[in-house]
């Protein structure tokens, strides 16, 4: 069962670029909550709260309990703006979720037992992760924080497709409803062939055929 992650915030009445700059100088992050039947709400969050939370993958893929002045609402992170080179979050957008309506969210993939697999133990085999996250569809209460993909039985030459991933109950992959062309490869285990320089191949026989010089 997914953990509960609470983010504390305060309501704010000042809006605009000037107000946002003042908030950032005060180590606060301006944010907006929107969606559902309620109007958009402007809030502010302590910068350290956001910065620490953003270091966890659950922050961007889980249902959050957003506590605004003591009132909790279920939300998803929908957008964020980060400073191009500073460790500073500039703005956040949160989307309210209805627990009775399915949502689409990208969740991380965790690859397990790759090193223990036959492919992982075979020299010259490169295992490629073509996807590191999946778009899933489910009710908010069924949303997993991540999905495990066990590669223990991966052999050289194997390809793992979307349709082969074991999903939690109540979770679907929307891509698979679009047809077989969308059942893409998630993991591949390909043998890498050593390339031989053609010039070297030609030079080697010539060197063998050339008679040794007399001294």
């Amino acid at each position: 069962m997914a953990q509960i992650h609470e983010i504390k915030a305060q309501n704010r009445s000042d809006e605009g670029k000037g107000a946002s700059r003042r908030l950032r100088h005060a180590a606060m992050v301006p944010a907006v909550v929107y969606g559902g039947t309620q109007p958009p709400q402007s809030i502010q969050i302590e910068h350290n709260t956001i910065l620490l939370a953003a270091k966890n993958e659950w922050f961007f893929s889980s249902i959050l309990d957003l506590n605004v002045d003591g009132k909790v609402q279920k939300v998803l992170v929908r957008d964020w703006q980060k400073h191009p080179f500073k460790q500073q979050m500039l703005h956040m957008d949160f989307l309210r979720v209805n627990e009775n309506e399915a949502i689409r969210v990208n969740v991380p993939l965790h690859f397990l037992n790759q090193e223990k697999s036959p492919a992982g133990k075979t020299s010259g085999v490169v295992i490629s992760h073509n996807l590191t996250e999946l778009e899933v569809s489910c009710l908010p209460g069924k949303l997993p924080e991540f999905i495990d993909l066990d590669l223990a039985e991966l052999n050289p030459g194997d390809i793992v497709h979307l349709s082969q991933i074991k999903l939690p109950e109540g979770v679907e992959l929307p891509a698979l409803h679009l047809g077989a062309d969308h059942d893409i490869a998630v993991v591949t285990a390909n043998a890498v062939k050593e390339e031989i320089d053609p010039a070297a191949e030609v030079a080697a026989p010539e060197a063998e055929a050339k008679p040794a010089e007399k001294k």
Side-chain angles (χ1 to χ4, degrees):
M1 189 172 181
Q3 297 181 12
I4 295 175
H5 303 289
E6 183 178 84
I7 303 294
K8 292 186 176 181
Q10 299 86 41
N11 194 45
R12 64 183 173 98
S13 55
D14 291 343
E15 298 185 18
K17 293 183 178 179
S20 294
R21 281 196 296 268
R22 288 192 294 272
L23 281 176
R24 295 183 189 113
H25 284 305
M28 304 294 286
V29 179
V32 174
V33 190
Y34 64 94
T37 58
Q38 303 175 50
Q41 181 182 12
S42 297
I43 62 173
Q44 60 189 37
I45 309 173
E46 289 185 2
H47 184 264
N48 284 345
T49 297
I50 289 294
L51 196 61
L52 289 174
K55 293 180 179 179
N56 301 281
E57 64 180 10
W58 54 255
F59 183 65
F60 300 100
S61 60
S62 299
I63 304 295
L64 307 175
D65 278 0
L66 185 63
N67 186 332
V68 182
D69 297 328
K71 295 181 179 180
V72 177
Q73 47 193 320
K74 301 286 185 181
V75 301
L76 281 168
V77 174
R78 264 300 175 246
D79 196 14
W80 65 93
Q81 296 174 18
K82 194 174 181 181
H83 196 281
F85 57 87
K86 294 181 181 178
Q87 287 292 313
Q88 182 182 11
M89 200 68 80
L90 302 177
H91 189 273
M92 300 290 303
D93 282 348
F94 296 95
L95 175 68
R96 299 186 186 98
V97 298
N98 184 331
E99 296 192 54
N100 297 314
E101 294 181 1
I103 54 175
R104 287 191 178 192
V105 183
N106 288 340
V107 299
L109 264 176
H110 288 183
F111 301 95
L112 306 180
N113 300 316
Q114 176 174 303
E115 296 79 9
K116 300 177 182 178
S117 70
K121 294 179 180 179
T122 302
S123 177
V125 172
V126 175
I127 300 175
S128 301
H129 301 162
N130 302 321
L131 295 178
T132 56
E133 61 181 19
L134 299 174
E135 184 188 40
V136 303
S137 174
C138 61
L139 291 174
K142 296 286 188 179
L143 180 64
E145 291 187 4
F146 54 85
I147 292 176
D148 287 333
L149 179 54
D150 192 348
L151 300 177
E153 303 300 323
L154 187 71
N155 290 295
D158 280 355
I159 300 175
V160 180
H161 291 88
L162 279 178
S163 58
Q164 296 173 265
I165 297 177
K166 186 177 180 180
L167 300 172
E169 183 182 357
V171 178
E172 297 181 347
L173 299 178
L176 295 181
H177 296 296
L178 301 176
D181 291 344
H182 294 268
D183 188 14
I184 62 175
V186 179
V187 176
T188 57
N190 295 321
V192 177
K193 296 181 180 179
E194 184 179 356
E195 294 186 2
I196 300 176
D197 187 353
E201 285 186 318
V202 173
E206 289 181 351
E208 292 178 359
K210 186 177 180 181
E213 294 182 3
K214 294 183 180 180
K215 294 183 179 179

